[in-house]
Amino acid sequence: MKQLTRTSFAIVLKNWTTLLLFEVFYKILSYSIIYTVVKDALSVVLKLLGVSYLGTENFSLLFKNPLAMLFLLLVLILAAFFVFFEIVALYLYCEFGWRKEKVSVTHLLRHTFYCCKRFFSVPNLLFLLCFIGTTILAIFPFSPYLMKWLRVPAFIQAFIYQNKLLFALYLIVILVLNVLYLLILFVLMFAILEEKRTKEAFKESVRLLKTSKPKVLVQVLGTFAVVALLAAGTLCLASLSLVAYTKLSATPADAASQFKFYFGKAAPAAGVIVSSFAATWLFSVIIILFHNYRGDFRSDSSLPEKNRAASAAKSLTTVVCVIVIALFFSKSEFGEKTIYPNDPNISIVAHRGGAAVGPENTLAALNAAIIMNVDTAEIDVQQLKDGSVVLLHDSNFKRTTGQDKNVWEVDYAEVKQYDAGKLFSKAFENEPVPTLAEALRAAKGQIHLMIEIKLSGHEQNLVKQVLAQVEKYGMMNQCSIASLSLDVLKEAKQINPKIKTVYITPMLLSDQYNIEFVDSYSIETTTMTKEMVLTMQQQNKKVYGWTANSAETIEKTLRCQVDGVVTDNPMQARYYISNRDDDMVSSYLIKTFFNASPGHL
């Protein structure tokens, strides 16, 4: 294990300036090309389908147009090629390191192009499809960056987590996919270094893993732990060095704010550099295992440097260039906040009334949102058998009340006996399923309501009924109508043009979002992009991001500069919004070494 760790570090650091230059410039180039191609491809696909937008309601049109499907498949293949190219380059980089040979960026690119050219052929099609699928779905720590946005949407994950059987199956699938992903990486290595066909490379990979499967797993996990500890130690030492430098160079009154400023710029750049080396480390370990399997011997000697002064100057120039680029394109104050300034006026929307602080879609949750001074509460409404309108997300009461009844099968006389709080917590036992009228009375003058109209297929005049109740309580300016169905929003505007509407969608692809009967969009955070939000806002549409329940999704909505964050936990979202500049590490260091409060700097 010790020898494996030492050798892997030697391989990664052998041509470290080449690695940094390749990683930074290649990512910038690939992102730029992919963004341009995807944007142009979207326009072409919309023209082929004869629509102005592609969403969940009309997505089936795509399957009826083979040309449009083929076009999107080519775009996906292009994205996969960039990911594939990077992985091949990292393998070759590590192979040069194992041989103790120097390699330049241009030399690395030439070899990579040659290797990739052999793979993109009909016999390797199945392998490439498996590569694309596992890269998208695997959660392997070093899965390539270009595919990071292709993830299971948060609302689907939440649904899976609520069902024990689905969650167990999900874990099994993820485990299988990651094992398959690791196998594919080994196959790719054999195919690159021995120029084997993928079928032969697959057999060799299976043979390697089969004969030393436990050993390989222990070695990979063991060296991963060592690398993680060393990386953490290095970052810790760098942070303490920054503390010492700030204390020596700044006045006591300015030291804390100066440290926060320096840390805010340096931390993201350090993250970019560490992530590049960490990803390369995985491939270095696989390269070592490959050569050990073949019984190869790594020479103890390497060619001496011909000009140490020139090499040092090159290294220094590389580091400076990489840091400057990393600072600008990272989440630092210099970079991201120049492009994505922090907006203190982002509204918070309590999803289902605030599903993390009370039973969803109940008056208890709604009242909690009011007490927390939340801007808006999003509630779901459905129609019962007798025409009553109640707050409920699912079309069945089982998940929230334990009663296995569909909304169209029961009337309110029965529903008002249901307990909508006991399954959430004993503290909310006997919390009833509220009617829309009760929710309107509780919210009047207290909080804005985003009323999402749910369709079960059995309702009659539900939109008209909801609007009638909103008008009855004089809350036209305090309510908005939301739906996953554009037909619902269109009907709402026809009934009363003054009502504000919100189109909720997990996915929406377009370059124009000026649908006349839509005032706002609520976009699932997984598919949301900065460009999408900006285009919508330029067309005078408000944009909300749902459902932002984690630090990652909340941060993404802030980075995209949405108008509102839809979340189950309003207090958590408020904390992240107000403390966006204060990460845990810098806050701890400021409190410990400068005896100051980060929030007041």
Side-chain angles (χ1 to χ4, degrees), residues 26 32 55 58 66 78 108 116 196 212 220 234 238 320 337 354 367 395 427 437 481 501 510 514 527 537-538 546 596:
Y26 182 76
S32 300
N58 64 351
L78 177 64
L108 180 63
C116 288
K196 292 180 177 290
S212 55
V220 171
T234 302
V320 171
K337 290 172 190 175
N367 288 328
S395 59
I481 300 298
T501 57
S510 180
N514 53 350
T527 59
Q537 291 170 337
Q538 288 174 341
W546 67 276

Side-chain angles (χ1 to χ4, degrees), residues 68 85 115 174 181 233 255 291 304 403 433 439 524 554:
F85 187 92
C115 290
I174 289 296
Y181 186 54
H291 285 291
Q403 303 295 325
V433 176
E524 207 279 325
I554 293 173

Side-chain angles (χ1 to χ4, degrees), residues 153-332:
F155 73 98
I156 295 179
Q157 291 185 21
F159 176 75
I160 292 173
Y161 296 157
Q162 290 172 356
N163 187 301
K164 292 181 179 179
L165 178 59
L166 282 179
F167 183 60
L169 290 174
Y170 178 71
L171 291 178
I172 293 171
V173 170
I174 289 296
L175 178 62
V176 171
L177 283 172
N178 281 274
V179 171
L180 183 59
Y181 186 54
L182 186 61
L183 175 61
I184 285 175
L185 291 180
F186 274 91
V187 172
L188 187 57
M189 175 191 59
F190 275 98
I192 292 170
L193 301 183
E194 294 192 343
E195 297 192 3
K196 292 180 177 290
R197 292 180 177 271
T198 52
K199 187 176 180 180
E200 297 171 356
F202 176 79
K203 291 179 180 178
E204 287 287 342
S205 300
V206 171
R207 191 176 298 116
L208 185 156
L209 294 172
K210 192 175 181 179
T211 55
S212 55
K213 183 166 40 180
K215 184 180 178 181
V216 169
L217 184 61
V218 169
Q219 286 177 323
V220 171
L221 293 178
T223 47
F224 172 74
V226 172
V227 170
L229 288 173
L230 287 174
T234 302
L235 293 175
C236 182
L237 182 61
S239 299
L240 293 176
S241 299
L242 185 59
V243 169
Y245 170 78
T246 308
K247 278 182 168 290
L248 291 172
S249 62
T251 62
D254 297 331
S257 58
Q258 285 278 16
F259 175 80
K260 182 178 179 180
F261 177 77
Y262 292 146
F263 190 92
K265 288 188 175 183
V272 171
I273 294 171
V274 169
S275 64
S276 295
F277 278 103
T280 311
W281 163 83
L282 171 67
F283 297 105
S284 73
V285 172
I286 296 177
I287 286 289
I288 295 169
L289 294 175
F290 165 76
H291 285 291
N292 289 346
Y293 170 73
R294 294 203 317 178
D296 296 335
F297 174 75
R298 187 170 187 252
S299 173
D300 292 330
S301 61
S302 58
L303 295 175
E305 293 282 355
K306 293 182 179 180
N307 191 331
R308 291 184 178 275
S311 178
K314 176 185 174 184
S315 299
L316 180 61
T317 304
T318 299
V319 171
V320 171
C321 290
V322 168
I323 289 176
V324 170
I325 294 170
L327 284 171
F328 189 79
F329 286 94
S330 65
K331 299 178 182 178
S332 67

Side-chain angles (χ1 to χ4, degrees), residues 381-391 397 407-408 410-416 433-437 459-460 462 465-466 469:
V381 297
Q382 299 208 48
Q383 191 180 70
L384 301 179
K385 182 180 179 180
D386 60 359
S388 302
V389 181
V390 296
L391 273 59
F397 287 93
V407 290
W408 59 87
V410 292
D411 54 28
Y412 187 66
E414 179 179 343
V415 170
K416 68 180 180 180
V433 176
T435 62
L436 173 60
E459 57 280 317
Q460 293 183 353
L462 177 56
Q465 191 175 354
V466 169
Q469 292 198 35

Side-chain angles (χ1 to χ4, degrees), residues 16-26 105 314 317-318 321-322:
W16 64 272
T17 54
T18 298
L19 175 64
L20 279 180
L21 287 172
F22 170 78
E23 281 289 278
V24 172
F25 286 105
Y26 182 76
V105 174
K314 176 185 174 184
T317 304
T318 299
C321 290
V322 168

